[in-house]
């Protein structure tokens, strides 16, 4: 049965097709021509009536270098059948559309990512008749966007970060900065992104927090005073918010926070210092290590 997180992981690219080509550059470090136009295509690749085959998301991208087909597959776990169906998809789609297909696999699981990245080779040993090399997007190569300003610079990429890390310990570092960044986009996009993120969160506590944040976002878009704040930008309270983020990351990771650590973090008003501490909170083993140089 297809899960909501499975659907969300590939559907986010239908919401913002340009996100996929930005992911090539910023996540996969694969050169891709600058897109001129996108078209979401029918994902059905059935050839004979009794055998139904369907990719998750299929997009046609027009560039100055020609047209490409972006085949996006959301993968929750290893499935050896895919090593047969993925080459079929690419060969069939090339024959149907006569443009180069590119297979992209997106997953929330590191082991699945390593499995999916293995080239698929068909033919004689040492003489491949066919080789398929999937491009894989997952928690090991998608950056953790835990900075509000960084999230604001590219909201869809920050959404992708929250989704791919949604079942890991790093999800906690992303949610609050992303919630503030969503206020910079239109209300409809914020609502769609919010639903996609919620479906990818594995921790019930993280889901509850995200629902609370989304309630604040809905209020923000529906309240005229809040709309004025949005236009003028959020300056006040930013240090307090970042302090709370740092402490919540530690608590979600199960790291004890002493009264002295809590007091020092909450008393800090230096945004740059708080940014450093929130980044350290993702990987330190003791709360006191927040203040240790070299714990980055």
């Amino acid at each position: 049965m297809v899960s909501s997180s499975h659907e969300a992981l590939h559907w986010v690219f239908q919401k913002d097709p340009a996100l996929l080509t930005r992911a090539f550059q910023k996540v996969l470090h694969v050169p891709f021509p600058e897109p001129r136009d996108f078209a979401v295509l029918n994902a059905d690749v059935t050839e004979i009536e009794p055998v139904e085959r369907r990719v998750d998301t299929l997009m046609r991208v027009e560039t100055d270098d020609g047209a490409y087909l972006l085949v996006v597959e959301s993968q929750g776990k290893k499935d050896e059948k895919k090593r047969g169906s993925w080459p079929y998809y690419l060969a069939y789609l090339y024959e149907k559309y006569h443009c180069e297909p590119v297979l992209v696999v997106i997953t929330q699981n590191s082991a699945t990512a390593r499995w999916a990245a293995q080239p698929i080779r068909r033919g004689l040993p040492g003489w491949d008749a066919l080789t398929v090399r999937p491009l894989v997007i997952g928690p090991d190569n998608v950056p953790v966007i835990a900075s509000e300003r960084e999230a604001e610079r590219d909201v869809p990429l920050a959404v992708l970060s929250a989704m791919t890390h949604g079942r890991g310990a790093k999800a906690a570092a992303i949610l609050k900065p992303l919630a503030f960044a969503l206020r910079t986009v239109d209300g409809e996009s914020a609502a769609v992104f919010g639903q996609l993120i919620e479906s990818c969160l594995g921790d019930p506590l993280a889901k509850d927090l995200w629902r609370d944040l989304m309630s604040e976002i809905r209020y923000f878009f529906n309240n005229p005073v809040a709309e004025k704040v949005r236009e003028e930008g959020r300056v006040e309270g930013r240090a307090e918010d970042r302090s709370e983020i740092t402490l919540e990351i530690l608590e979600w990771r199960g790291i004890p926070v002493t009264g002295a650590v809590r007091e020092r973090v909450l008393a800090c008003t230096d945004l740059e210092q708080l940014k450093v501490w929130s980044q350290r909170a993702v990987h330190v083993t003791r709360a006191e290590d927040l203040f240790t140089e070299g714990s980055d």
Side-chain angles (χ1 to χ4, degrees):
M1 183 175 181
V2 176
S3 64
S4 57
S5 61
H6 176 280
E7 292 297 289
L9 282 170
H10 69 86
W11 198 89
V12 68
F13 297 117
Q14 296 188 32
K15 169 62 180 171
D16 184 354
L19 171 62
L20 189 54
T21 54
R22 291 204 304 282
F24 283 173
Q25 300 163 2
K26 297 182 179 182
V27 176
L28 299 169
H29 306 292
V30 172
F32 193 89
E34 194 65 29
R36 291 200 317 266
D37 190 30
F38 289 90
V40 178
L41 305 177
N42 188 335
D44 192 344
V45 292
T46 303
E47 201 171 8
I48 303 174
E49 188 64 28
V51 181
E52 181 179 354
R53 300 179 189 269
R54 187 177 297 273
V55 300
D56 289 330
T57 285
L58 178 63
M59 293 186 291
R60 181 186 177 106
V61 183
E62 298 290 344
T63 77
D64 290 336
D65 296 343
Y68 293 86
L69 290 177
L70 302 182
V71 184
V72 184
E73 285 279 275
S74 174
Q75 198 67 30
K77 60 183 180 181
K78 300 177 184 178
D79 182 358
E80 290 301 323
K81 292 181 180 178
K82 291 291 186 177
R83 300 184 71 78
S85 57
W86 285 340
Y88 167 83
Y89 294 163
L90 300 184
Y92 174 81
L93 290 169
Y94 178 79
E95 179 64 22
K96 181 176 181 179
Y97 292 102
H98 298 290
C99 53
E100 299 296 339
V102 179
L103 174 62
V104 182
V105 179
I106 181 166
T107 181
Q108 294 179 293
N109 184 277
S110 294
T112 302
R114 290 191 294 271
W115 165 82
Q118 297 173 6
I120 302 169
R121 306 184 190 280
R122 297 289 177 261
L124 293 172
W127 192 273
D128 301 332
L130 173 68
T131 302
V132 174
R133 297 177 61 199
L135 293 170
V136 180
I137 297 174
D140 293 334
N141 58 5
V142 175
V144 175
I145 298 181
S147 158
E148 182 181 329
R149 291 183 181 178
E150 189 178 358
E152 288 176 353
R153 281 198 295 269
D154 194 335
V155 173
L157 186 63
V159 170
L160 181 65
S161 177
M163 292 169 67
T164 51
H165 292 285
R167 297 191 179 277
K170 295 180 180 179
I174 304 171
L175 297 183
K176 268 200 170 182
L178 179 53
F180 282 110
L182 284 180
R183 303 180 190 204
T184 65
V185 303
D186 63 275
E188 182 181 350
S189 293
V192 172
F193 285 143
Q195 292 173 358
L196 294 175
I197 293 165
E198 181 177 339
S199 68
C200 290
L201 294 174
D203 183 357
L205 293 177
K207 277 199 172 187
D208 289 342
L209 173 69
W210 185 245
R211 288 167 183 158
D212 290 342
L213 291 170
M214 286 304 297
S215 296
E216 294 178 12
I217 291 172
R218 285 190 288 270
Y219 172 80
F220 182 84
F221 280 105
N222 294 330
N223 186 289
V225 176
E227 179 63 24
K228 183 179 178 182
V229 173
R230 179 179 182 236
E231 292 173 356
E232 296 175 351
R234 295 182 59 88
V235 177
E236 296 181 7
R238 197 172 256 188
E240 181 181 351
D241 292 330
R242 199 175 293 280
S243 298
E244 292 176 356
I245 290 170
T246 302
L247 295 172
E248 287 174 1
I249 292 171
L250 293 172
E251 290 167 359
W252 274 330
R253 295 185 59 219
I255 296 176
V257 179
T258 64
V261 170
R262 183 179 299 276
E263 184 177 349
R264 182 173 175 180
V265 172
L266 292 176
C268 183
T269 57
D270 184 338
L271 285 174
E272 289 304 314
Q273 181 61 74
L274 288 168
K275 177 181 178 181
V276 171
W277 290 348
S278 66
Q279 291 171 343
R280 290 177 182 169
V282 175
H283 54 76
V284 295
T285 55
R286 300 185 315 128
E288 290 76 11
D289 291 341
L290 288 179
F291 317 124
T292 304
E293 201 70 34
S295 296
D296 302 303

